[in-house]
Amino acid sequence: MILLVHGDREYLRAPGGELHTDLGIVDIPEDVEPGQVLESHLGDEFVVREPRGPDLFNHFERTGAPMMPRDVGLVVGHTGAAMGDRVLDAGTGTGVLSAYLGRLGAEVTTYERDAEFADVARENMELAGVADRVDVRTGDVTDHLEELSGFDLLTLDTENAPEVVERAPDLLVSGGFVAVYSPFVENSRASVEAAREAELTDIETFETIQRQMDFGERGSRPSTAGVGHTAYLTFARYE
Ligand SMILES: C[S@@+](CC[C@H](N)C(=O)[O-])C[C@H]1O[C@@H](n2cnc3c(N)ncnc32)[C@H](O)[C@@H]1O
């Protein structure tokens, strides 16, 4: 897949296809390359870009509320997620976190209990070019824990995350991490208690707040638009 960019408009399309907009029809060659400029039959220009993580966040078909890129950054930074890691993720939702991890070179097994959401996530993994590294499985992750082991990282974005955290010692290799993304602090607390019960170490919870800066003519200050809070992130480690 490639992105065709014209000003603030972006279109995700397959090489070899066509783009139809009010700016005309663009023929997209099979061998299209990032950086190329394609012209529509009305003479408007579209720059070709290879989609990266933030583009996928913007263009994936959405089901469950996707993880924000800044929170993905914290998960990667705090756990050191890297190429070759085995990751167990749940729930898949839109698949933003899975796709980012797949693009890093991790091997991701991700569970989504809603069959329709799982189908959308599989299509999103195709779009992201990571379908060979991200295995989207339909089912409740807690029904499959017995058959799972050997992971470097567990990434959990479900209400019942604490039930999975309790089982972390059976799921993780030594030195592996758990990351729990919780919209509500009560869920973080339950995850922390589960991590303590499982005798995990390095247990930490952070609230994610990010302030965008506005650089206006009159001066510079944090943006007054929107709320900076997204979620709570709990991390813990096995031995
Ligand atoms: C908030 S979304 C996850 C978003 C995802 N982290 C992303 O970056 O796009 C939560 C998803 O988890 C699924 N889910 C909830 N509990 C689950 C469970 N126990 N096993 C599998 N999937 C579950 C829900 O159906 C929902 O689609």
Side-chain angles (χ1 to χ4, degrees), residues 65-67 91-97 112-113 117 139-141 157-158 160:
M67 195 178 281
T92 318
T94 300
V96 165
L97 179 61
E112 172 53 59
R113 68 182 175 192
F117 288 6
D140 187 318
V141 67
D157 186 355
T158 64
N160 65 357

Side-chain angles (χ1 to χ4, degrees), residues 191-232:
S191 294
V192 166
E193 285 169 357
R196 287 179 183 154
E197 191 67 28
E199 299 187 355
L200 301 185
T201 62
D202 303 344
I203 305 169
E204 297 177 307
T205 298
F206 302 96
E207 180 183 10
T208 315
I209 298 176
Q210 179 174 280
R211 294 197 302 175
Q212 188 161 354
M213 295 297 292
D214 283 345
F215 295 99
E217 283 186 8
R218 290 174 52 226
S220 310
R221 63 179 179 180
S223 168
T224 53
V227 180
H229 168 91
T230 44
Y232 300 94

Side-chain angles (χ1 to χ4, degrees), residues 159 161-162 165-166 180-197 203-206 232-234:
E159 271 177 38
V165 174
E166 271 171 26
V180 182
Y181 183 85
S182 315
F184 299 110
V185 77
E186 289 85 354
N187 190 261
S188 299
R189 184 181 177 96
S191 294
V192 166
E193 285 169 357
R196 287 179 183 154
E197 191 67 28
I203 305 169
E204 297 177 307
T205 298
F206 302 96
Y232 300 94
L233 275 164
T234 296

Side-chain angles (χ1 to χ4, degrees), residues 10 20 72 78 86 100 106 133 157 190 204 206 222 230 237:
E10 294 182 355
H20 293 247
V72 174
H78 278 271
R86 288 192 64 211
Y100 263 92
R133 278 197 295 284
D157 186 355
E204 297 177 307
F206 302 96
T230 44
R237 198 164 196 190

Side-chain angles (χ1 to χ4, degrees), residues 32-209:
V32 65
E33 294 279 350
Q36 234 177 300
V37 177
L38 303 179
E39 203 171 293
S40 75
H41 83 288
L42 297 178
D44 282 291
E45 291 187 338
F46 291 78
V47 179
V48 178
R49 187 192 287 164
E50 186 171 334
R52 298 173 64 88
D55 304 309
L56 299 170
F57 176 83
N58 290 330
H59 290 279
F60 270 175
E61 184 178 338
R62 289 192 181 189
T63 54
M67 195 178 281
M68 301 285 284
R70 70 202 201 201
D71 295 314
V72 174
L74 285 171
V75 169
V76 173
H78 278 271
T79 65
M83 186 184 295
D85 276 355
R86 288 192 64 211
V87 181
L88 174 62
D89 174 68
T92 318
T94 300
V96 165
L97 179 61
S98 291
Y100 263 92
L101 293 171
R103 282 177 53 80
L104 278 176
E107 299 289 329
V108 183
T109 302
T110 178
Y111 280 85
E112 172 53 59
R113 68 182 175 192
D114 182 305
E116 285 179 22
F117 288 6
D119 285 343
V120 171
R122 284 185 199 101
E123 284 167 23
N124 284 341
M125 296 311 113
E126 292 284 348
L127 283 181
V130 294
D132 57 336
R133 278 197 295 284
V134 180
D135 179 10
V136 180
R137 300 184 183 175
T138 306
D140 187 318
V141 67
T142 54
D143 293 338
H144 296 272
L145 297 179
E146 296 292 338
E147 67 215 50
L148 298 166
S149 63
F151 294 97
D152 301 284
L153 174 59
L154 309 180
T155 54
L156 305 169
D157 186 355
T158 64
E159 271 177 38
N160 65 357
E163 288 175 41
V164 184
V165 174
E166 271 171 26
R167 305 287 300 278
D170 301 325
L171 298 167
L172 286 171
V173 298
S174 177
F177 277 93
V178 182
V180 182
Y181 183 85
S182 315
F184 299 110
V185 77
E186 289 85 354
N187 190 261
S188 299
R189 184 181 177 96
S191 294
V192 166
E193 285 169 357
R196 287 179 183 154
E197 191 67 28
E199 299 187 355
L200 301 185
T201 62
D202 303 344
I203 305 169
E204 297 177 307
T205 298
F206 302 96
E207 180 183 10
T208 315
I209 298 176

